[in-house]
Structures are given as C-alpha cells and as structure tokens.
Amino acid sequence: MTPLDLAGYVIAGLMTAVALWRMPAALWGDEEDKRRRALWGCYAGFAVALWTKTKVVRIGLNNSSVTDLAVLIKHYTATVAILAILSYIVAIYGQYPDKGDVPRHVRFARTVQQVAAKASVATLILLTALFFTVVDRSVPSDRFVSDHAGQWGATLYMSVFYLYLGAASAVCAYQWALATADATLRHLRVGLGMMTFAMFVGVGYTVSRTLFMWISVVDQPSEAFAKSFDEITEAAQLLLFGFFAVGASIPAFSNCWRRVKLWRAQVKLHPLWRELMTAFPDQPFAPPASLTRELVRFDTPADLRVDRWAADIADAVEKLRHYVPDSLVLAAKRTAEEESAAPDAAGPLADAHWIKAALAAKADGAPAGPAAAVETKHAADQDDEVAWLLRVAAAYRTITDDGTQRVLRSMETAA
C-alpha cells in the first residue's frame, strides 16, 4: 500500500467520523437546523465519494459487472454533496429577508443555489449518458484520469463534472473568504479560513485536471507523467478534504469544549450548591439530587443550570447572613489569610470559611436576626460571578470541621 493509498483511507475515515458525529443534530433538529442538515449532507456525500476512491473499494467496484462503477458512484455522491454545501451557504444567510435590502453576496449565493439545484440534475443526467456511451470502459481502470488520458470521451465526461465542481468551489471560496473577513470569533475565523483555503485548492485541482485532459487529447503524455500528475493532484484533493473537514468542525469543537467546561463547572459547584440547598430546601426549583442525577437532567440546558445554581448559591448566602453576627466575616478572613500560601487564594477561601461556618451556626440552632455584614464582590457579568464561585467551591471542599470550629471560636473572641 502506497502512502497515497493510506492517506485516502485516513481522509475517508475522518470524513465519515465527522458525518456520524454531526448526524444526530442534523436528523433530529428542528426547522432552525437547516444549516446543520445541509452541512451534514455535504459530509455524508463526500464520505461516500472518498470511500469509492480508496484502493480496495475502487478496484472492487471498477472490476464489477459495471466497469468503472466506482467513478460513476463517486461523481454522483460528490454532485449531491456539492449541492448540499451550496445549500449550507444559503442557510447561513437565513437571517436576511427574501426581499428588500439584502447584501449583494447574499443575493448571489441564493441565485447560485437555485441554479445549482437545476444544474445538478442536468449534470447527473449528462454524466450518466456520457459514462455509458462515449467513455471507453473496455478495460477496468485503477486511476481513471491517468488511465484515460488522451481519450476524448473520458475528457468530455470529466470536463462536465469538473465544470460543476470547479464552479461550486469558486463560489464557496468567495463566500467563505468574505465570511472569514467578517468573523469576530477566533475559532470561527480559523475554521472559515481553513475551509476557504480548501476551496481554493479545489479550484486549482479542477482547473489543472481539466487542462491536463484536454492537452492530453492533443499531445498524448507518457504513462509515467500521467501517473505522476494523477498522484500529485490526488494528494492535493486529499489535502483539500482534510482542511475542509477540520475547518468546518472547529466551531462545533468549540461548542463541545464549552459544554465540557459547563460540565466541569457543575461538578465543581455541586457539593457547595447541594449543601446550601439542603439547608434551604425551599430555595431550588427541585430538591437537590446527586451529582450523577443532576448531570443527566436534559430538561434544562447546562449553561442555564450553572447560572441557576450560581443564583441559588447567592440567594442562600443572603439568607445565611441572618444567622451569624458581623464578626464572622473578619474571623473568616483572618483564618483564610493564615491558611493561604498565595495571597490571591485568601479571598475565595475566606468566602468558603464564611459559608461553612454560617451553615454550622444555622445547623446548631442559631436564631434568625438582622443581616450580618459581608464583603461585597463586584462581578463584571454572570461569567465572572460563576468563575468566582468555582474558586469558592474549590476552597470549600478543603475545609475540615476543625477549621470551621476554629473560625467560629475566632468569631466569638472577636465579638
């Protein structure tokens, strides 16, 4: 097996993995998920096309009862995938109205998509007719372009496909170059940039192969040159698909990473949140459950759940202020400063000590009274508040019962 054959399997596997990964959201999403469906259709179509190019599959199909069947299947699925990717571009611009003040590039994309829908049908019909009439299929081929170099029938057949593929690649390169320039998020800019580069490679691929085949009709190339050219352009196409698969997946990877961060936030906040909600059972919407049970709740998005837990913790702390004296805040701060090796760790640890001691005081039967003094935290936004609570929750897990009793004794001394 040559390195090029091995690369073919790797890229086909990569595209298949991405198609399977994105399939649930595409198949079971709502009407607002047209963009995901279109992109998944593109992935699925190109995955099938790439598998027909792998050595074992293409030799098996090309030597079947329909000679060179792998070529026809590859072009069928690639044509459908191209139509899907053009639909994906149009779906991106769904926020613009059908009429009125619509940017030129959006009108252009919609026009191209409408034309492409009709052109794809015409392309499939024409490819089928040419394949079974003018293409010389007397001998099964391994590398279709190099094996048929100099044959006018195969040249005409491939020109039809390359015209469709090249035009679509140029449109995608143009649209995604504009989107890359307008992207504000870094991961989105990187992903679109990779997809744009892939489409420029696609334009070069189709132009070079079309010129090669027509020049070969006039001047028959040597077998060695034809094979070398086929392998070089084939490697370029594999590079194209690699950049496209990774580039289009980067925004999704970013969303997955965000979900992972939210999951980690729930894991870290849960012990503190559950203890506070157990102390004030009327506070949460539902009784606090185990961490495993909370993580598998699908009725509430993870980001909303984290925000709600942060609000629950803040409300519970407000209620705890009525069970402790003003001196607790100084006692917690002094203990935290004594225990902290790093100055920036004293603040979260002081808050954690205050909460732990206040919970202990309430559990011991302290009567409710006026709200005690606390140090006010000035969070810039909800994310900033959650970040602070994560540090407090981490410190909270390190506090022992002896540490809490020490804070309470210090509070009594200060009072």
Side-chain angles (χ1 to χ4, degrees):
M1 180 182 297
T2 66
L4 186 61
D5 290 330
L6 179 60
Y9 285 107
V10 171
I11 298 300
L14 173 63
M15 193 68 73
T16 303
V18 174
L20 293 175
W21 172 40
R22 303 295 290 272
M23 183 170 64
L27 297 184
W28 295 298
D30 54 26
E31 287 300 319
E32 296 181 358
D33 289 327
K34 293 181 180 179
R35 179 171 57 185
R36 295 177 180 175
R37 292 193 185 98
L39 188 57
W40 175 79
C42 175
Y43 280 131
F46 279 137
V48 175
L50 285 168
W51 279 113
T52 63
K53 292 164 67 70
T54 58
K55 186 174 183 178
V56 172
V57 176
R58 75 170 183 267
I59 290 177
L61 290 174
N62 287 345
N63 288 277
S64 66
S65 56
V66 180
T67 306
D68 288 346
L69 179 60
V71 177
L72 190 61
I73 294 177
K74 175 180 66 178
H75 292 159
Y76 277 174
T77 53
T79 300
V80 173
I82 292 166
L83 180 60
I85 202 172
L86 293 174
S87 300
Y88 168 72
I89 292 175
V90 173
I92 292 175
Y93 300 131
Q95 70 270 24
Y96 291 101
D98 293 334
K99 297 180 181 180
D101 187 15
V102 180
R104 181 184 302 175
H105 65 280
V106 177
R107 295 197 304 270
F108 174 71
R110 290 174 175 174
T111 302
V112 168
Q113 197 271 338
Q114 293 172 358
V115 173
K118 300 176 182 178
S120 61
V121 176
T123 299
L124 291 174
I125 294 174
L126 188 55
L127 286 176
T128 305
L130 293 173
F131 182 82
F132 287 104
T133 56
V134 300
V135 176
D136 182 4
R137 297 184 298 110
S138 57
V139 178
S141 62
D142 182 32
R143 296 288 183 181
F144 188 83
V145 170
S146 59
D147 292 346
H148 291 80
Q151 300 177 11
W152 71 269
T155 299
L156 181 60
Y157 170 85
M158 293 303 299
S159 296
V160 171
F161 176 70
Y162 286 149
L163 176 63
Y164 184 82
L165 176 62
S169 299
V171 171
C172 291
Y174 168 71
Q175 295 289 341
W176 288 338
L178 292 177
T180 302
D182 293 336
T184 55
L185 300 176
R186 183 174 63 178
H187 69 272
L188 186 59
R189 187 165 58 251
V190 171
L192 286 168
M194 294 179 69
M195 294 167 68
T196 302
F197 173 76
M199 292 301 103
F200 277 116
V201 173
V203 172
Y205 170 85
T206 56
V207 171
S208 62
R209 284 206 157 197
T210 302
L211 289 175
F212 168 77
M213 296 208 72
W214 280 108
I215 292 173
S216 298
V217 172
V218 179
D219 185 12
Q220 179 72 35
S222 66
E223 183 177 342
F225 177 82
K227 184 177 181 180
S228 297
F229 177 84
D230 186 274
E231 290 177 348
I232 292 172
T233 52
E234 184 70 16
Q237 189 185 55
L238 293 178
L239 179 68
L240 177 163
F241 281 114
F243 269 86
F244 173 74
V246 175
S249 300
I250 284 179
F253 278 129
S254 177
N255 290 334
C256 286
W257 177 242
R258 183 172 181 272
R259 292 191 185 99
V260 170
K261 291 173 65 177
L262 289 169
W263 179 81
R264 292 174 59 189
Q266 292 177 76
V267 171
K268 293 178 179 180
L269 285 177
H270 183 265
L272 174 60
W273 174 79
R274 189 175 187 181
E275 284 199 34
L276 288 170
M277 296 306 99
T278 302
F280 299 100
D282 295 334
Q283 177 69 39
F285 289 108
S290 65
L291 176 60
T292 302
R293 179 67 184 91
E294 292 292 346
L295 290 178
V296 296
R297 291 185 189 271
F298 299 111
D299 55 341
T300 305
D303 55 346
L304 181 58
R305 187 181 300 116
V306 169
D307 289 344
R308 192 173 69 192
W309 284 8
D312 286 342
I313 292 172
D315 290 343
V317 167
E318 281 297 312
K319 292 179 179 180
L320 282 175
R321 293 175 62 188
H322 293 275
Y323 294 90
V324 294
D326 293 342
S327 57
L328 177 58
V329 66
L330 295 177
K333 185 176 181 180
R334 183 164 53 248
T335 303
E337 290 174 349
E338 293 173 355
E339 296 177 350
S340 300
D344 61 343
L349 183 57
D351 279 8
H353 268 304
W354 189 96
I355 294 172
K356 190 92 170 181
L359 282 172
K362 180 180 183 299
D364 289 341
V374 293
E375 286 195 355
T376 304
K377 300 295 185 300
H378 298 286
D381 50 29
Q382 185 72 4
D383 291 340
D384 195 22
E385 180 180 359
V386 171
W388 177 262
L389 287 177
L390 289 174
R391 298 179 65 190
V392 173
Y396 187 86
R397 292 195 297 270
T398 66
I399 299 175
T400 63
D401 291 339
D402 290 341
T404 300
Q405 293 303 317
R406 187 166 61 254
V407 171
L408 291 174
R409 287 194 298 270
S410 177
M411 175 190 70
E412 293 171 358
T413 301

